[in-house]
Amino acid sequence: MKLKNTIKHSFITAIFFIFGLCLCCAPAVTAATEADIYVKFESFTWKEYSDGGSQLLKESGPISTLGVSIKSDFANSLTLKAKGELFMGSIDYDGQTQAGTPVNTDTDYSGFKIEADIGKIFMVAEKSSLEPFAGLGWKSWLRDLKSTSNAFGYEETWSIVYAQLGVRGDRVFSKQLKIFAEAGLNFPIYNENVVDLGGSTVTIEPGKEVSLFAEAGFKWRNLKASFFYEGMRFSKSGVEFIEYAGDIYGFYQPESKADIFGVRIGIAF
């Protein structure tokens, strides 16, 4: 119940952040470079690996996202961009118990992402620009593994904080049409996974690994569409010991990685 309340409060925080972006920036929308509301349709894959490198489990399926993004220009071609997203979905789980018994079930995902960055625009041609940027991000999600006839489900609440370095650019063809792209790296600052075992909880800190993100698309009038990729990488955590069902157990997060491919479609103002 404690974890469910935590994720509920996190959702409320994210919702207020998203609507706060809209309300606070609404008076300045005419001066903003871009403000848009969008949906994302994602193909999500999560994998975990043993110490020997063999795959322990794979989760894959669709995730849906609702987001808002606002980007403003200010002095000396500097930019400030902020975005907030809410996402959720139910995907397939293909794994095994600790004894090696195969398990097939569903995993529900729900969470949010908040990012903000500052950049500097450089005109490399009359209608083309490049914009190096640096920022911070916070992503949190609930991973809810469902029970089966031969395995108990459990919940994980993940929170990651990271720094970003990247570059974005665009090419303007007319008042109605431009293309854009961006790519960069996420540098983890803090990773946390709180596991609810149905009576006991254990907090694990997955290892920090650099990951890649990229996006490319176009804006035609008020329509904005793109393809994107986002990766998440975690090395093996340390072992945390807790008492569970009268015995002492050691828990750790194995090497894990996520790959997210998708399409983003939105309306720009």
Side-chain angles (χ1 to χ4, degrees):
M1 182 64 69
K2 182 179 177 181
L3 287 180
K4 290 184 178 180
N5 287 336
T6 298
I7 199 70
K8 178 181 178 181
H9 294 157
S10 298
F11 270 121
I12 293 173
T13 299
I15 290 171
F16 273 105
F17 177 83
I18 291 173
F19 282 101
L21 281 177
C22 296
L23 293 175
C24 293
C25 297
V29 164
T30 55
T33 300
E34 192 171 278
D36 60 287
I37 299 174
Y38 56 88
V39 294
K40 291 163 65 174
F41 304 99
E42 305 175 358
S43 174
F44 179 88
T45 301
W46 176 273
K47 296 179 181 179
E48 296 182 0
Y49 299 89
S50 69
D51 291 346
S54 61
Q55 183 176 296
L56 298 172
L57 66 87
K58 177 181 178 181
E59 297 174 347
S60 59
I63 299 288
S64 300
T65 297
L66 173 65
V68 59
S69 173
I70 297 176
K71 179 183 175 185
S72 296
D73 294 341
F74 56 101
N76 298 320
S77 300
L78 295 176
T79 65
L80 180 63
K81 182 177 180 180
K83 70 178 179 182
E85 298 180 348
L86 300 175
F87 58 87
M88 65 188 308
S90 183
I91 64 179
D92 297 328
Y93 174 99
D94 183 7
Q96 57 187 303
T97 65
Q98 291 186 348
T101 303
V103 175
N104 292 284
T105 184
D106 296 323
T107 305
D108 292 341
Y109 278 81
S110 55
F112 67 87
K113 179 169 68 174
I114 297 171
E115 293 180 346
D117 66 64
I118 186 168
K120 169 73 173 181
I121 297 176
F122 296 93
M123 298 303 299
V124 295
E126 183 180 355
K127 296 184 178 181
S128 301
S129 68
L130 287 177
E131 180 189 342
F133 64 89
L136 291 172
W138 173 30
K139 187 172 184 177
S140 181
W141 66 94
L142 178 67
R143 180 173 175 245
D144 184 2
L145 285 80
K146 302 303 181 182
S147 297
T148 68
S149 58
N150 61 349
F152 289 103
Y154 58 93
E155 294 181 349
E156 297 181 348
T157 301
W158 285 72
S159 293
I160 60 175
V161 178
Y162 50 92
Q164 289 188 313
L165 285 177
V167 61
R168 60 175 66 99
D170 61 38
R171 166 71 177 178
V172 177
F173 291 94
S174 68
K175 291 183 178 180
Q176 289 77 32
L177 177 64
K178 75 173 181 179
I179 59 173
F180 61 89
E182 73 172 40
L185 298 172
N186 288 334
F187 299 88
I189 298 173
Y190 180 73
N191 296 331
E192 179 184 85
N193 177 16
V194 182
V195 184
D196 184 350
L197 301 169
S200 298
T201 61
V202 57
T203 300
I204 302 169
E205 296 184 6
K208 302 177 179 68
E209 297 288 340
V210 176
S211 58
L212 173 70
F213 64 90
E215 183 177 8
F218 70 90
K219 178 185 175 186
W220 182 69
R221 295 186 178 179
N222 294 108
L223 173 66
K224 188 176 181 181
S226 62
F227 295 97
F228 66 88
Y229 167 79
E230 177 187 351
M232 293 189 292
R233 299 292 186 267
F234 306 96
S235 56
K236 180 182 175 181
S237 74
V239 180
E240 298 292 335
F241 294 93
I242 66 166
E243 182 178 349
Y244 179 68
D247 294 316
I248 302 298
Y249 292 90
F251 290 87
Y252 68 92
Q253 180 65 36
E255 177 189 351
S256 309
K257 70 177 184 178
D259 292 297
I260 307 168
F261 296 88
V263 177
R264 166 175 155 166
I265 302 173
I267 302 297
F269 301 95

